[in-house]
Structures are given as structure tokens and as C-alpha cells.
Amino acid sequence: SLALREVTDLERLAGRVVYGSAGSRDLAALSAGLGKLPHIRELLDHCPSSLLQELRDSLDDLPELRALLDGALRDEDEKPLPFSVREGDFIRPGYNAQVDELRSLLTNANSHIVDMEVKTKEQTGIKNMKITSNKVFGYYIEVAKAQTGLVPGHWTRKQTTVNAERYISPELKELEHAILSARDQVTALEYQLFCELKKAVCAQVDRIQRTAAALAQVDVLQSFAAVAAANHYCMPQVDNSDALTIVEGRHPVVEKMLNGTPFVPNDTHMDGWDDLAAIITGPNMAGKSTYMRQVALIVLMAQMGAFVPARSARIGVVDRVFTRIGASDDLSSGQSTFMVEMTEVAALLNHATGKSLLILDEIGRGTSTYDGMAIARAVLEHCADRKRLGAKTLFATHYHELTALEGELPGVKNYNIAAKKRGGDVIFLRKIVRGGADQSYGVEVAKLAGVPDRVVRRAREILEELESGNAPVDGGRTVSAPAGQVSLTDIGGEAVLNKLRMTDVNVLSPIEALNLLAELKGDLNGG
């Protein structure tokens, strides 16, 4: 991992060179990245995998190109390479004789000026003079006014000051031109050399891209291995069957976000016949969506060659994974939540095949109860019917009436997320079990979400009235339900039955069992 992290993005750098946007820093980074490949090849020598050995042989570090780039570009020990190649100062000393000569002229310009000043004083006898420069006039000879009579006739006056006269001589003008033009010349020459280096890189771009592709595969495989080892993943069995069997599967992202809280694993068993579609019911916040998403992610991870978060897994190859999880309003284009949902469902039904995996969460909830239930049932029937689609389907719903399909459609099975109710509170066990949910725990979830107690109490009252066959109407007045909807049991007895159905005696302590028994007796006696 550390060795791979040191390799630069070879493909991107090669692309910048080809498209003409590369600079000297990019060429240096390309050479540095290629220079890390011999060490990576050495590390891969110890891997028995035939694929890794094949990738190892594909890692071409292009030693000739590296030698050319390293020999042409200077080291960055003292200062970094310039951002723009138009600035120059990136060619290594000794690479080009003309560049070295021009740089020498620039570096020793002051020495040349001093030498000319000494020589001029000796030739003219002017002791009180100096050669200097400014940004307006460039280089000039400044002579005190007391000695202007000694100035040679071939000098040209440039400026008069209070105490001196300033001149330019042919020799100084020639030296000034050499110094000023040397900078432009060396910059232009370095750019020419840079273009030659780019040509050399472009000639090897195919080799660079093949190397980058092989390196990318090594990087992905290394990442797969590191994650699998750190998180205790297993190697799935992937075949062309219709099986989808996962033992103790986990969600690879959610389990990392729990901050030490253990993730509750769940099993999954689906095939193309007896377990074709699973109807999943249970309260909100219990983990239905997490469970379905983890199944989809495990299938994706297995088919892309990664280990999966499970104790064991057998994954039959699917052609596509279709999901319908959640909905967001698209108000800007005039589409409601329900319209978006139906558009996605339409795409799913029109493109899925019998080899697809379908993940459907709360289909039909964006419209009225009866419309939503009708659409949800029709979609589920279509997905589970082998004569129509017959695709493996995970179908989460709050329409408990749909659980009746288990006895009507072959291959449909009911599951629910287990929950434990204690008094007015509910505990989600995060475990998926066979059978449909008895109730949705909507009121309890509202309480957990922070809905005021007064509202929660009123909701419980209304719920009991609805379950008993009476409905609150006209500002709270209660009327009896019409014939055919009369409750067959008293309210207290129904409450006791509900509590008993939702109680898992295997997790009760003796004290909890005694308290529950007292609660049940109180319910039967009317509180």
C-alpha cells in the first residue's frame, strides 16, 4: 500500500503530455512514478497468484525514457521546478552546452561589467567613473562633470544629472545586448528542449498506458485484500446458478459507522424456485433497508472479484441489480415523489430479466392506501411470476395485507425484522426471521423520534379504537364500525394477545417474565 501510494498518476500525466498541457513538473512526476515500479515488481515476486504475476510482467518502468528525463531535468533540491516552461530554469546543468554558456553569461554579468569598467578607466584616464544600470536607460557609463573633457568622442550622451553625465559606448552597448538577449535565448532554448522531451514521452505513451492499467489492477486487488483482511470478509463462491445464499451477511459501510457497537448479521437464502421473492415487513428503523442494501452490495462485491462481509456466501451471477429505495421530489421538472417512483418502477419492469436482482422498498407509498396497495401487489405479482419475470426480489412493505401472497404465489416467502415490545417502548433486534410482522409499531417509533407524549397517548387511543372496530369521527365522537368489522374479542383480550405474540420468551429474564405476567393480568382486568 505504501509503495503504491508513492506512484504518481501515470495515465493522467501521459494524457497531459499528449494534449500539450504538461509542464516540467509533470515530466519530473512521470519519471518519479516510473522509478517506483521496480520496487513494486520486487514486492510482487513473492505473490503466488498467476494474475498478479501476469500484472507484474506488465509493469514497464521504461528505463530509457526515465534516463532521458532524469538527465534533462534538474533536481529540485534547492528550489522546485517552475510552474510554466516559459520561465525556463528547468534544464539540468551539463545537459546542453549552449544552455550552460548562456547561463554563465547571465550568472557572471556583474563580473563582465566590472572588468569593462576597469579596462575603460585605464584606456581613457577617467578615474571618477562607474558603469551601472537602471530600468529606464539600461546600462550606462556615469562620469563626473569635472572629467567630462576626457570622454572619447565615440561615446554617446544619454542623460545629464546635477553632478554627472551619463554615456553609452559601443562596447558597453554590445555587452548590454548580449546580457539582455541571453535570458530570452536561454528560455527559448530550454522550451525547445522541453518540446523534444515531450516528443519522446509521446512516442512511449502506449507503453505508459499499459503500465498504468496494470498498476491500477494491482492497486484495486491490494485494496480488496486489505479491506477483506481488516474486516474479516470471506471468499464467495460465484457460479452461474440461481442461488443467492449468504450466511451472517453484514453491510460493509454501516458496520464501520457503529463506533464499536456490534453489527447484527443476517442470513439470506434465495433461488429461482421455492425462494424467489421475499416480502419483508416490520417497523420503521428496524433495519429493512439496511438488510436489502447489504444483499445488493454483497452481490456487487462478489461479482467484481472482492471478498464479501459474511461468514460464507454462494452468489449466482446476476445480469443487473435494480433498486427502488427512497424517493425525492423533482419539483423543478414538475415530477412528484410518486411520479418519480413510478418512473423508476416502469424502467425496472421494462428492463429486468429473470437473472436480475430486484430491491424494492415501500412501493406505492406515495399515493393513497388502496392505490398504493394495488400497485405494490401488482408489481410483486409480476416480479415473482416465472411466466412473466421471475426475478429474485426483496420487497419491503408496510402493507401487511401483501403477506397473504405467500400462500397464493409459488416462491413467495414472508420475513420480518424482529422487535421486542416492553411496556410502551420497542427494542429492535435487527434480526430477520420467517413470517410476517404482527404490527408496525408506528406509535412506538413516533415516541422514539421525539413526538410529544400527549400526541403519542392520543395516537394510542385512536389506534385501540380502530383495532376494536370503532372509529373516531365528528371531532372525537366515537361510532361503532359497520357490520362485518365488529371486533371478535374485547379490547383487553386483544392487547394481551398482541403482547404475547410479540414476546420472545427466550430473551426474558425471570424478573421481566414476572413483570410481563402482571401487565397481562392487569390488561385482562381492565387496567
Side-chain angles (χ1 to χ4, degrees):
S1 177
L2 294 175
L4 288 168
R5 193 175 297 137
E6 294 176 351
V7 180
T8 50
D9 190 342
L10 302 179
E11 191 169 19
R12 173 180 169 274
L13 293 170
R16 287 178 61 84
V17 173
V18 170
Y19 288 108
S21 59
S24 58
R25 295 182 181 183
D26 296 310
L27 296 188
L30 177 63
S31 178
L34 293 172
K36 303 296 183 181
L37 299 185
H39 177 54
I40 295 176
R41 282 206 309 266
E42 182 181 345
L43 294 175
L44 291 174
D45 283 340
H46 308 292
C47 298
S49 167
S50 58
L51 175 58
L52 289 176
Q53 290 306 312
E54 180 181 339
L55 294 173
R56 174 200 175 279
D57 295 337
S58 300
L59 296 180
D60 184 356
D61 59 316
L62 288 83
E64 305 88 357
L65 181 60
R66 280 198 296 119
L68 175 63
L69 295 177
D70 291 344
L73 301 173
R74 67 169 173 79
D75 294 329
E76 298 187 85
D77 298 336
E78 297 181 0
K79 62 178 179 178
L81 293 170
F83 180 77
S84 172
V85 292
R86 299 291 184 179
E87 300 175 22
D89 191 28
F90 56 83
I91 294 297
R92 182 185 294 275
Y95 179 73
N96 183 276
Q98 190 175 357
V99 170
D100 293 342
E101 182 180 345
L102 292 170
R103 282 181 178 168
S104 176
L105 177 60
L106 291 171
T107 303
N108 300 316
N110 290 336
S111 299
H112 292 303
I113 294 297
V114 171
D115 291 342
M116 177 174 284
E117 184 178 313
V118 172
K119 183 180 178 182
T120 302
K121 286 180 179 180
E122 292 176 352
Q123 290 176 347
T124 61
I126 303 174
K127 304 300 182 182
N128 194 4
M129 63 158 283
K130 61 180 180 179
I131 299 178
T132 186
S133 66
N134 62 33
K135 294 182 179 180
V136 177
F137 295 103
Y139 286 95
Y140 55 85
I141 304 171
E142 187 173 277
V143 181
K145 286 191 174 181
Q147 294 186 309
T148 54
L150 299 176
V151 172
H154 61 278
W155 287 12
T156 303
R157 181 185 284 110
K158 298 188 67 173
Q159 185 184 20
T160 299
T161 64
V162 176
N163 299 317
E165 297 286 346
R166 293 175 176 176
Y167 301 88
I168 183 74
S169 68
E171 295 84 359
L172 181 57
K173 191 171 184 178
E174 183 180 346
L175 179 60
E176 178 188 43
H177 176 73
I179 292 173
L180 295 179
S181 63
R183 185 174 303 281
D184 293 335
Q185 290 179 29
V186 72
T187 301
L189 182 55
E190 287 196 54
Y191 181 74
Q192 179 183 341
L193 296 173
F194 174 76
C195 292
E196 294 175 1
L197 294 175
K198 285 203 303 182
K199 276 186 181 179
V201 173
C202 289
Q204 304 295 337
V205 70
D206 289 340
R207 293 171 64 185
I208 296 173
Q209 289 178 334
R210 285 196 298 270
T211 294
L215 190 66
Q217 292 186 59
V218 172
D219 194 5
V220 168
L221 295 174
Q222 186 275 333
S223 298
F224 284 173
V227 171
N231 297 288
H232 310 290
Y233 290 0
C234 75
M235 184 177 73
Q237 176 187 350
V238 181
D239 52 34
N240 288 319
S241 68
D242 290 323
L244 176 52
T245 303
I246 302 169
V247 178
E248 295 185 9
R250 314 187 306 274
H251 194 294
V253 179
V254 173
E255 73 169 344
K256 302 299 291 183
M257 305 296 291
L258 295 180
N259 297 323
T261 303
F263 186 93
V264 178
N266 275 299
D267 297 343
T268 302
H269 176 70
M270 303 183 74
D271 54 38
W273 297 98
D274 295 333
D275 294 280
L276 181 61
I279 300 176
I280 305 171
T281 51
N284 291 314
M285 297 172 57
K288 297 192 301 294
S289 295
T290 297
Y291 170 72
M292 294 194 301
R293 293 180 188 191
Q294 82 184 34
V295 173
L297 286 174
I298 287 173
V299 170
L300 285 173
M301 293 173 69
Q303 292 195 194
M304 71 184 186
F307 280 26
V308 298
R311 188 157 65 86
S312 65
R314 181 187 178 194
I315 310 295
V317 172
V318 301
D319 55 5
R320 277 179 289 187
V321 177
F322 289 92
T323 63
R324 170 56 213 165
I325 298 178
S328 59
D329 290 339
D330 190 1
L331 301 179
S332 62
S333 63
Q335 290 190 340
S336 67
T337 297
F338 183 64
M339 185 61 182
V340 173
E341 179 182 355
M342 289 300 99
T343 300
E344 294 182 4
V345 169
L348 180 152
L349 297 178
N350 289 328
H351 296 95
T353 71
K355 293 291 289 183
S356 302
L357 173 63
L358 312 183
I359 308 295
L360 303 175
D361 192 7
E362 304 293 346
I363 295 296
R365 64 181 174 182
T367 186
S368 66
T369 301
Y370 291 130
D371 283 349
M373 190 186 307
I375 292 171
R377 175 162 180 150
V379 170
L380 182 56
E381 287 179 352
H382 181 86
C383 295
D385 191 341
R386 297 185 190 88
K387 296 179 181 179
R388 299 177 185 175
L389 182 55
K392 291 186 286 293
T393 304
L394 292 175
F395 194 98
T397 183
H398 278 294
Y399 297 132
H400 293 183
E401 294 82 357
L402 296 182
T403 57
L405 288 175
E406 178 174 336
E408 300 177 12
L409 284 179
V412 175
K413 294 289 191 295
N414 289 326
Y415 294 89
N416 74 90
I417 305 294
K420 177 181 178 182
K421 190 174 179 182
R422 180 179 299 171
D425 298 326
V426 61
I427 301 173
F428 302 127
L429 302 180
R430 313 291 184 190
K431 202 72 178 175
I432 186 166
V433 295
R434 282 282 285 123
D438 298 18
Q439 57 188 107
S440 66
Y441 298 95
V443 176
E444 287 74 15
V445 172
K447 181 180 178 181
L448 289 176
V451 173
D453 290 342
R454 182 176 180 180
V455 176
V456 172
R457 287 196 300 271
R458 178 56 183 154
R460 284 203 180 103
E461 293 173 1
I462 296 173
L463 179 62
E464 289 180 359
E465 292 171 350
L466 292 172
E467 289 177 341
S468 67
N470 296 322
V473 295
D474 291 341
R477 289 188 299 107
T478 302
V479 298
S480 297
Q485 295 183 14
V486 179
S487 174
L488 298 179
T489 61
D490 62 285
I491 298 175
E494 185 68 25
V496 169
L497 288 175
N498 285 335
K499 286 185 179 181
L500 286 174
R501 289 191 187 101
M502 299 310 300
T503 300
D504 186 352
V505 297
N506 294 320
V507 299
L508 288 179
S509 66
I511 295 298
E512 289 175 335
L514 289 174
N515 290 336
L516 176 62
L517 186 58
E519 289 178 12
L520 297 177
K521 185 175 181 180
D523 290 340
L524 285 174
N525 294 331

